[in-house]
Amino acid sequence: PGKQIIFSWLQPVAMLGFLRVTKQYLPHVARLCLISTFLEDGIRMWFQWNEQRDYIEATWSCGYFLAACFVLLNLLGQLGGCVLILSRNFVQYACFALFGILSLQTIAYSILWDLKFLMRNLALGGGLLLLLAESRGEGKSMFAGVPSMGEHSPKQYMQLGGRVLLVLMFMTLLHFDPSFISILQNLVGTALIVLVAIGFKTKLAALTLVLWLFAVNVYFNAFWMVPAYKPMHDFLKYDFFQTMSVIGGLLLIVALGPGGVSMDEKKKLW
């Protein structure tokens, strides 16, 4: 019993120490990680303009002009949104723009019919929701004057939605094979994503997921080890930056907490 008490006391102390050291840098690192997939995709639209335009034109038979407009919209929308978010200007509008780009790509690239990619896109949406919730805490709300159920009610539900959507990324990493390591990873991973979703020991669980996901990302999505001319290079690069965006969302949870709709918050009232 004595060891359990000491261990339970050391956990929050260690977490507070980590947050104290990183509080000035963690939100900036989180935002950079979160928008990294949009930044990479916007740059890729520039360098692969012809390939992207030809793909959209061939897939949707929409003609040269509309296909070019689609690529241009993706390029400007993503790069412009990233610049606004990093400069902390019109962040809410930038988040809505990136939501729109994400929805457009989900339809245009037929991601709706691929469960794995759909879950990853939803996880990206969860990261954007957390970023939107963070921006609501800075200055006036976009919805000032609109009555709400609580002082920060919309922000709290955004944080809840963001947490729940973020954990969908980890559902795509579960491997159903009978090996001991795989079973152990599934059990530990499932426990951690449940803790993040319900908001219990949230910061510690999110930080653990960050470390685990970063290690998995570097090991499995090492696109720099594959020659640029091979199709696998682009596939791994896409996966790598999508995963970094989810890591950014988790880092926002570590920096800002789970919000009001969580067990951690409810414990304060007990």
Side-chain angles (χ1 to χ4, degrees), residues 68-240:
C69 288
F70 173 85
V71 178
L72 183 63
L73 178 63
N74 274 268
L75 190 156
L76 295 179
Q78 291 184 105
L79 294 183
C82 291
V83 169
L84 290 176
I85 287 169
L86 290 178
S87 64
R88 312 305 295 145
N89 292 309
F90 303 105
V91 174
Q92 296 181 0
Y93 295 107
C95 287
F96 287 132
L98 292 179
F99 271 125
I101 296 290
L102 194 61
S103 303
L104 188 62
Q105 289 186 348
T106 301
I107 297 170
Y109 293 107
S110 302
I111 292 173
L112 277 172
W113 319 119
D114 188 317
L115 184 60
K116 178 181 176 180
F117 284 105
L118 178 61
M119 291 174 76
R120 291 191 171 201
N121 267 25
L122 289 172
L124 277 181
L128 288 175
L129 262 182
L130 291 171
L131 193 57
L132 188 59
E134 182 211 14
S135 72
R136 286 182 64 88
E138 301 175 353
K140 295 181 180 180
S141 167
M142 284 178 63
F143 308 104
V146 178
S148 63
M149 294 175 63
E151 185 182 354
H152 300 295
S153 185
K155 177 179 177 178
Q156 291 174 358
Y157 287 110
M158 285 179 193
Q159 288 176 291
L160 172 63
R163 293 200 320 267
V164 172
L165 288 174
L166 267 185
V167 302
L168 293 177
M169 167 62 84
F170 297 90
M171 302 300 292
T172 68
L173 299 177
L174 299 179
H175 299 287
F176 299 98
D177 67 69
S179 67
F180 173 75
I181 296 297
S182 181
I183 293 172
L184 182 62
Q185 283 183 335
N186 288 347
L187 289 175
V188 173
T190 302
L192 289 171
I193 63 177
V194 168
L195 289 176
V196 170
I198 65 176
F200 181 69
K201 300 287 185 183
T202 319
K203 292 187 176 184
L204 183 62
L207 184 58
T208 306
L209 283 175
V210 165
L211 298 175
W212 177 40
L213 192 54
F214 183 76
V216 168
N217 197 28
V218 171
Y219 183 78
F220 287 106
N221 295 323
F223 65 90
W224 53 88
M225 302 293 290
V226 180
Y229 63 85
K230 292 190 175 181
M232 184 57 71
H233 176 89
D234 278 347
F235 178 78
L236 292 177
K237 192 176 182 181
Y238 174 80
D239 258 14
F240 179 87

Side-chain angles (χ1 to χ4, degrees), residues 40-56 67-68 70-72 75 109 228-231 233-235 237-238:
E40 185 275 331
D41 196 51
I43 294 171
R44 183 156 52 87
M45 291 288 172
W46 175 267
F47 285 104
Q48 296 182 2
W49 176 278
N50 292 332
E51 294 91 330
Q52 295 295 328
R53 184 201 60 222
D54 292 345
Y55 173 82
I56 294 298
F70 173 85
V71 178
L72 183 63
L75 190 156
Y109 293 107
Y229 63 85
K230 292 190 175 181
H233 176 89
D234 278 347
F235 178 78
K237 192 176 182 181
Y238 174 80

